[in-house]
Amino acid sequence: MAETLAVLFTAGTVVGLLVALGTELDDVRRWLVVGILTCTGGSALGLVVAGRRVPRVVLQALVGGSAVLIALAVLVPVDALSAVALACLLAFVVVDSCYFFSRRFAVGHVLGGFVVVDSALLLRGDVAAGTVLALNTIMVALAVVTHRLAVRASGASSDPLTGLPNRRAFDDALQDLVRDGGTASVALLDLDHFKEINDTSGHEAGDRVLLRVAEVQLPPGALLARHGGDEFALLLPGRGGEEAVVEVWRLCDRLVDTGLSCGVAQLHAGESAAQLMRRADGALYAAKAAGRGRVELASAARVAS
């Protein structure tokens, strides 16, 4: 979200600068342009520097604030054509809101953008109401399409039964964690005798067991994903191997009616995601071989890729 918003703020800065260079401005408008470009350029730079450390609420505030900046920019040009061109920057607000925010927040940002930008266009007095409505129609269509694409994209990274991240989403998160470095562990959790549950009680009973695991309370910062079939994968940032084993045992205690075999591996410096997962898989195999219902910690030795 931060990266995308940084790109949009940068593009807005460039567009505003190009329009300003082609327009004769009085002192008031000139200082208004300087203020707007300082806000957009500074926001873009701040997002690039801060990156993932930016809280979500700050990103939402920046999206809402950008609509206000667009409305102010609309008042700068002398000619109506340049004003409408700047108003089209509202598309950035629409795309960002509908792709990253929930429907409630997205609708709020889009409607708020319409109010402030439309008001600025009409306040000028040289932009027809029909032109404003036409611009709004385009933005609504863009919002609908973007939201549908966001829904499809989220479906590609989530498990349809449990709603958890799927293997693809887990692998992406793991790659990011390995790239960032630091202390982290992963755990593979396998349901004991899951095939017997399906065979004796039916697939609906098996689905209920999977949902029970999906709804378990997780440690802060942890990511649980359905890795496939009856296997789950747990990502534990900031936790070493021994601490991760304790956390996994706590999780198993919350699922006392569900038998689990678990393998845990701590990330080591220079280790790839594939190597880490192989060690976790080896620990899981050891837990099963030792009688199931156990949590095993992988050795520090790395598996060759």
Side-chain angles (χ1 to χ4, degrees), residues 3-217:
E3 291 174 354
T4 302
L5 196 55
V7 171
L8 298 183
F9 268 113
T10 302
T13 303
V14 173
V15 171
L17 183 60
L18 291 174
V19 172
L21 290 175
T23 306
E24 292 186 6
L25 304 175
D26 55 30
D27 290 339
V28 174
R29 283 190 169 94
R30 187 176 298 108
W31 281 110
L32 182 58
V33 168
V34 170
I36 294 172
L37 295 181
T38 300
C39 289
T40 56
S43 297
L45 182 60
L47 287 165
V48 170
V49 173
R52 298 178 184 174
R53 296 189 300 274
V54 181
R56 189 180 183 88
V57 65
V58 173
L59 295 176
Q60 290 188 346
L62 287 172
V63 171
S66 63
V68 176
L69 291 176
I70 293 169
L72 292 174
V74 164
L75 298 173
V76 171
V78 175
D79 61 300
L81 182 61
S82 296
V84 173
L86 287 170
C88 289
L89 289 173
L90 186 61
F92 292 169
V93 175
V94 170
V95 170
D96 203 72
S97 300
C98 293
Y99 194 84
F100 288 115
F101 299 155
S102 66
R103 181 180 299 179
R104 178 166 59 94
F105 284 113
V107 170
H109 280 300
V110 172
L111 290 179
F114 282 173
V115 170
V116 295
V117 175
D118 289 359
S119 298
L121 286 170
L122 295 174
L123 185 63
R124 290 180 55 89
D126 56 356
V127 179
T131 300
V132 176
L133 289 176
L135 180 64
N136 289 347
T137 302
I138 294 172
M139 296 302 168
V140 169
L142 184 61
V144 172
V145 171
T146 303
H147 177 70
R148 288 179 63 86
L149 289 174
V151 170
R152 291 180 65 88
S154 63
S157 60
S158 63
D159 175 61
L161 173 64
T162 63
L164 292 174
N166 59 17
R167 183 166 187 161
R168 174 183 176 181
F170 178 84
D171 289 345
D172 288 343
L174 179 59
Q175 290 287 354
D176 289 341
L177 194 67
V178 170
R179 190 181 305 114
D180 293 341
T183 303
S185 297
V186 298
L188 290 177
L189 293 68
D190 191 81
L191 292 170
D192 295 332
H193 311 296
F194 184 71
K195 185 176 184 301
E196 295 178 13
I197 296 174
N198 280 333
D199 291 343
T200 59
S201 302
H203 289 281
E204 289 186 1
D207 289 347
R208 287 195 294 271
V209 174
L210 294 172
L211 289 171
R212 195 179 306 138
V213 177
E215 294 167 357
V216 71
Q217 181 181 352

